[in-house]
Structures are given as C-alpha cells and as structure tokens.
Amino acid sequence: MNSVVSQIGDLADAGERMIERLRRKAFLPDSRKGLNVRIGIAEAAALLGCSTNRIRMAEEDGRLPPAPASETGRRLGYTVEELLHMREVLGASPRRAPLDVPAIIAVQNFKGGVGKSTVTTHLAHYLAVQGYRVLVVDCDSQATTTTLFGFNPHFNIKRDETLYPYLSIDPTQADLLYAVKRTPWPNVDLIPSNLELFDVEYELAAAGSDGGSVLAARFRKLKRGLSDLARDYDIVLLDPPPALGTISLAVMQAANALLVPLAATTPDFCSTVQFLSMMDQVLHQLTGAGIEVDYQFVRLICSKFDGNDPSHAMVRAIMEMSFGAALLPVPILESAEISHAAMRMMTIYELEKPIGTPKTHKRCRANLDEALRQVEQLVTQGWGRVQPLSEEEVIHAAA
C-alpha cells in the first residue's frame, strides 16, 4: 500500500478523534448525552389536550406531584419523564391498544444527503414528546443516527452491540434484546450501528451457491426479530443504508410502512424516481420468492425545503403533480436552527433554548411539529383512531 493510500486511514483516525472531542465538549460534564429540556405548563396542556387549570387541580388534589419550582418559586417546567407521568394520571397516553399493530416505519431513500437520519431522529423525538414508546434501529453502517443519539460509533459501540450478531452467517444471538440501549429520552430506545455492521453485506455476498436461500432466511429473521421487539413499543423507526444492499432489502421487508424523504432539487427528484422504480422491481422479486411485503402506507416527505428559493418551489410543484396524495402536504423547511442543533449532536426537541433568534427557533419547531404530525396521523389512522379534540376545541364547537 503506497503512502498516499495509507493516508486515508490516518484521515479517518483523525476525524474519529475529533468526533470524540466534539462529543465530550457537547455532553459535559460527564461526557454522556443528557436531556435537560423543560416543558412549560401551557405547552404541557396543549400536548395533553387539556387546560392548564386541569393540571393545576391535579397538583392541588395530590394526583400529580407539586410543580417543579426554583428557589424563588418560579415554575421550572416539566421534564419529559414528568410529562409522561402526567399523561398516565390524566388519561392522556396515546399508546396503541393491545390489538393495534405496532408501526414499523422504514425511512429510506437511496439518494444520500436528503436528511434521512435527521428526519428519523427528529421524528423519534417528536413522537417521544407526544407520549409514544419508540424504538429506533440504526441499520446504516455510517451510523449517523447513532451519533445523533449521543454515541460515538467508533469508540462507544462494538460490533456485538449492533445487528451483526443477529444477522451474520454465524449468529451468536437468537433475538434482538441484547442490542437495545436506553437513550436520554425515557420513552425512546436505540439499536445502534457502527462501520462493522457492513460485514453482514460481505458475508451474505460470499454465501455461495445457496446465497438466495441464506438471504431469504435473513430477511425473514430480521422481520421476526423486529416484530418480537415491537410488542413493547408503539412505533419502530428503521434507518437503513442509502443503497440497494442486503441490509436495505431486509429492512424493506421487515417494515410495514415506508417514509421517503427527498429534497426539493431536480437531482433528488430524479434519484427518488429511480429509487421508487428499483423498489418496485425488488418488491415484485421478493413477492415472487415467497417473501411477503405489506405496507400500511407509503409516503414521501419533502425535506430541506427553502420557501424563498424559486427552484425549490418549482421542483415541489413537480413532486405534487407526479406523486399526488402520496406526497405529504407539509414539507420540512430548511433551517439554520436544525443545522446548529446538529453541530451539537442534538435535535430541535432537545434544545433547552434557541441557538439562533427565538423567532427562528419558534418557526422551525412549529414547522417540524406540523410536518411530523402528518406521520403520526398516518399511524393512528392505521389503529382506527380519529384525532381527539382538545378541551378548548370541544368548548369552541359547543359555543
């Protein structure tokens, strides 16, 4: 190996060391990611679909603990854990009923740079704030989602903590419980990834003449493992590699819903059309091989949309003409706040305070809530639910 080629490894090592330094700086004092966000009583009431007075009454009569307060008596706001407890006490939990099928959503596009991992992580945190039990499965050896959850895949995650021991040619695990990790969010768990997960692709490619049967077995195995885990969750989010490989195919078969992020550019649109065409061919091949694939919904969501860019508006109009109702009507807007949060290995839902201006933060959060609520509604519709009215909406309707 010549010196120029060997330099690639040096660059990778230097980059990994810098990621670890950034992680330690971001997660001081104990170098572990925490969740310090607080939710005010007005926002808590809106999330629970009740009035602030109902929360105060529950605190006064002892059903809820006294509101957290500072030394001066000012309300500090509620933690996510406290909010989850409030949901249970006030009967405002959105959890699926025992007979409802957990949503297992693959967030997939073979085009890189569309915000796939960013959408996955923000969707997980949005659903957590709404009160759902969420499992995120990072199936991509690039491990961006794992990093956003506060784990350095190079230093903190071993191959035996990923999907590898379950999917490899010589598996050492019979189920996926071994891989589930707690995250700073009390109702979000993670199966992490790292670069070594890619070894599964090599192993299955070298499976020999019976490779087809080995692949089919691995497809069924991942679906079975995820279905077993999903019993303890409401929603499972899968982040597969941005390429048509063995793991991607297994994820596509294991999911029961598909969410396709795409940016509002002509190359992204063209690439997504190619992705959909390839998916169609592959799904027909899987069905022909006796591997069942069934989706409750397939939707596309426009990400990184700049409403002030005429070219974005033009491409989005093309998307609407092409995809119709399959394109979710509310796009995720391009925002410096999302980029700034990502620099801190965080999502908007983890920020204690705005990074930019309060107006920019508020606009970004409102857009994310509206855009991601579209996915939540698809899930609850699958459970046969009609979105409940808040107390204020009921009073207004009766007036």
Side-chain angles (χ1 to χ4, degrees):
M1 183 183 296
N2 66 40
S3 59
V4 175
V5 174
S6 64
Q7 184 183 12
I8 295 173
D10 296 336
L11 293 172
D13 290 341
E16 290 290 356
R17 288 193 296 271
M18 180 54 69
I19 290 174
E20 183 63 10
R21 287 177 60 188
L22 290 171
R23 191 184 75 87
R24 290 181 181 277
K25 185 175 181 180
F27 306 150
L28 288 174
D30 59 359
S31 296
R32 287 184 60 83
K33 188 172 184 178
L35 184 64
N36 301 314
V37 65
R38 291 274 180 171
I39 299 166
I41 189 169
E43 184 181 354
L47 288 167
L48 271 60
C50 69
S51 64
T52 55
N53 190 47
R54 187 181 179 195
I55 295 174
R56 289 192 174 94
M57 289 175 61
E59 291 173 347
E60 290 171 3
D61 63 26
R63 285 178 293 149
L64 289 174
S70 66
E71 293 179 357
T72 61
R74 182 179 65 85
R75 281 178 176 263
L76 294 174
Y78 305 96
T79 65
V80 172
E81 199 159 16
E82 289 165 342
L83 185 66
L84 291 173
H85 178 62
M86 292 165 67
R87 287 187 180 279
E88 296 295 331
V89 171
L90 299 179
S93 173
R95 289 184 178 183
R96 63 181 176 82
L99 295 181
D100 290 335
V101 176
I104 304 178
I105 307 171
V107 183
Q108 177 63 305
N109 195 326
F110 294 161
K111 171 74 167 63
V114 297
K116 181 170 61 69
S117 297
T118 302
V119 169
T120 300
T121 312
H122 275 88
L123 180 56
H125 292 170
Y126 165 81
L127 293 168
V129 172
Q130 304 306 313
Y132 297 94
R133 299 166 298 169
V134 182
L135 172 66
V136 179
V137 186
D138 193 350
C139 312
D140 185 357
S141 59
Q142 296 180 65
T144 304
T145 294
T146 297
T147 303
L148 286 172
F149 270 98
F151 299 95
N152 185 317
H154 184 75
F155 290 100
N156 305 136
I157 303 299
K158 300 175 182 177
R159 183 170 72 173
D160 289 347
E161 297 175 282
T162 71
L163 292 173
Y164 179 84
Y166 183 75
L167 290 179
S168 68
I169 291 294
D170 298 310
T172 56
Q173 296 287 351
D175 60 49
L176 287 169
L177 281 172
Y178 73 92
V180 177
K181 289 188 176 295
R182 300 293 303 272
T183 75
W185 292 79
N187 53 339
V188 181
D189 291 337
L190 172 73
I191 293 182
S193 179
N194 72 3
L195 190 59
E196 293 177 289
L197 179 60
F198 195 74
D199 289 349
V200 170
E201 302 278 3
Y202 287 122
E203 290 183 7
L204 294 177
S209 58
D210 65 340
S213 62
V214 172
L215 286 174
R218 286 300 172 274
F219 291 171
R220 294 188 177 96
K221 186 177 184 181
L222 182 59
K223 183 171 186 175
R224 183 171 66 251
L226 290 174
S227 296
D228 288 343
L229 273 187
R231 295 171 185 166
D232 295 326
Y233 301 93
D234 303 302
I235 300 166
V236 179
L237 300 177
L238 310 178
D239 185 7
L244 183 59
T246 302
I247 294 176
S248 289
L249 291 176
V251 168
M252 294 295 96
Q253 195 264 337
N256 59 26
L258 179 62
L259 181 66
V260 182
L262 71 161
T265 68
T266 302
D268 280 284
F269 173 77
C270 295
S271 176
T272 300
V273 171
Q274 290 297 313
F275 161 69
L276 294 171
S277 178
M278 293 171 67
M279 277 292 300
D280 180 58
Q281 295 176 34
V282 168
L283 293 177
H284 277 93
Q285 291 172 358
L286 291 175
T287 303
I291 300 173
E292 181 184 354
V293 180
D294 186 22
Y295 293 151
Q296 295 176 4
F297 63 82
V298 175
R299 293 292 188 278
L300 298 95
I301 185 166
C302 182
S303 60
K304 299 184 176 182
F305 181 73
D306 184 351
N308 296 318
D309 188 331
S311 68
H312 280 216
M314 181 186 70
V315 174
R316 178 160 171 80
I318 292 171
M319 291 179 190
E320 291 171 343
M321 287 187 290
S322 303
F323 303 134
L327 178 70
L328 293 175
V330 180
I332 296 175
L333 301 179
E334 182 83 81
S335 175
E337 196 76 352
I338 294 177
S339 301
H340 292 156
M343 279 291 293
R344 293 161 172 78
M345 300 183 192
M346 302 174 81
T347 69
I348 297 301
Y349 296 99
E350 295 177 295
L351 296 177
E352 297 175 61
K353 58 183 180 181
I355 298 174
T357 67
K359 183 179 180 181
T360 298
H361 178 85
K362 186 176 181 180
R363 182 170 61 244
C364 178
R365 172 65 185 269
N367 165 249
L368 282 169
D369 285 347
E370 188 180 9
L372 300 176
R373 188 178 297 118
Q374 299 171 120
V375 182
E376 177 194 3
Q377 289 173 343
L378 288 169
V379 171
T380 56
Q381 286 169 13
W383 296 338
R385 293 187 193 171
V386 176
Q387 290 297 112
L389 294 175
S390 67
E391 289 182 5
E392 287 79 3
E393 288 172 324
V394 170
I395 293 170
H396 179 74

